[in-house]
Amino acid sequence: MDELGFCSLTLLLFATLLGDFEMTPDQVARENHEFYYVAVAMSLCSTAFPDFGQAVVHSLYDESGLAQFGVEFSHYSGYIRIDTSQIGECFREGLANEVWSGIFGRMVCAIPSSVSGEMNTEVVLREGIYRFTFKIIQYERDAEHGWEIIDDPLPLPDDEKLGRVVNLCITIDHS
């Protein structure tokens, strides 16, 4: 190894030890995909985690049409903000029945191939007459940074674990 190569390797080692690396768009995209694949998928498994289904049904009958569900699996955490305000009154009972019959469990397998967006921020699933649009809209920093909610994770240290804030908008699929 020549002197320039040795110096470059030494600088890289010091930078690694000092933690001077920032997140890259590829890293954020990979972690977003993992979040959908693990945390959101586990939340949708209604037989294992019925609380998510309860949150959806709650949003159907809440005046605002909104509810929030906390997500925490392994080292993935965040929130799913559920919005059913666009579901007409005549469809609410039907969707509630679908939730209790396992509609989310039927959709779980479609998540990995449905992730899209520049940094894997969106998932659109269709089941029957319903359309479920998940979109990562913000990120939550770790305890060391006061759980700060931020819009853009770049540039943050690459070793910081971020939570995700996901909007889930449930609508009638007119396509």
Side-chain angles (χ1 to χ4, degrees):
M1 178 182 303
D2 65 357
E3 188 175 325
L4 181 60
F6 179 76
C7 288
S8 296
L9 185 60
T10 304
L11 284 173
L12 181 63
L13 177 63
F14 281 130
T16 302
L17 292 174
L18 295 175
D20 284 347
F21 288 110
E22 296 175 345
M23 284 190 187
T24 65
D26 287 342
Q27 179 183 359
V28 173
R30 184 179 64 253
E31 290 177 6
N32 285 347
H33 194 272
E34 290 171 359
F35 181 79
Y36 278 122
Y37 192 76
V38 175
V40 172
M42 289 299 291
S43 297
L44 296 183
C45 291
S46 58
T47 55
F49 302 98
D51 293 344
F52 181 74
Q54 290 173 355
V56 171
V57 171
H58 172 78
S59 74
L60 283 169
Y61 296 103
D62 187 82
E63 195 174 293
S64 68
L66 305 173
Q68 183 165 290
F69 181 75
V71 174
E72 190 154 340
F73 296 102
S74 185
H75 64 279
Y76 303 100
S77 64
Y79 302 93
I80 300 174
R81 295 178 179 163
I82 304 161
D83 179 356
T84 59
S85 62
Q86 295 180 41
I87 298 291
E89 202 170 316
C90 60
F91 292 102
R92 288 182 189 155
E93 187 175 334
L95 179 55
N97 288 335
E98 287 287 348
V99 168
W100 298 132
S101 354
I103 191 171
F104 295 117
R106 295 190 300 267
M107 296 187 310
V108 167
C109 293
I111 288 177
S113 62
S114 300
V115 177
S116 65
E118 186 176 331
M119 291 201 316
N120 292 333
T121 56
E122 191 168 355
V123 170
V124 178
L125 302 171
R126 291 176 177 84
E127 181 72 25
I129 63 168
Y130 304 103
R131 178 184 170 125
F132 302 84
T133 304
F134 296 84
K135 183 160 180 65
I136 296 174
I137 57 162
Q138 293 176 312
Y139 298 85
E140 181 181 50
R141 297 190 75 185
D142 57 18
E144 184 179 328
H145 298 92
W147 308 110
E148 177 186 12
I149 300 291
I150 57 173
D151 294 325
D152 187 2
L154 302 173
L156 292 177
D158 71 344
D159 61 347
E160 187 173 336
K161 291 294 178 197
L162 295 175
R164 269 79 179 152
V165 179
V166 177
N167 271 357
L168 165 58
C169 186
I170 304 173
T171 57
I172 301 298
D173 188 13
H174 297 289
S175 58

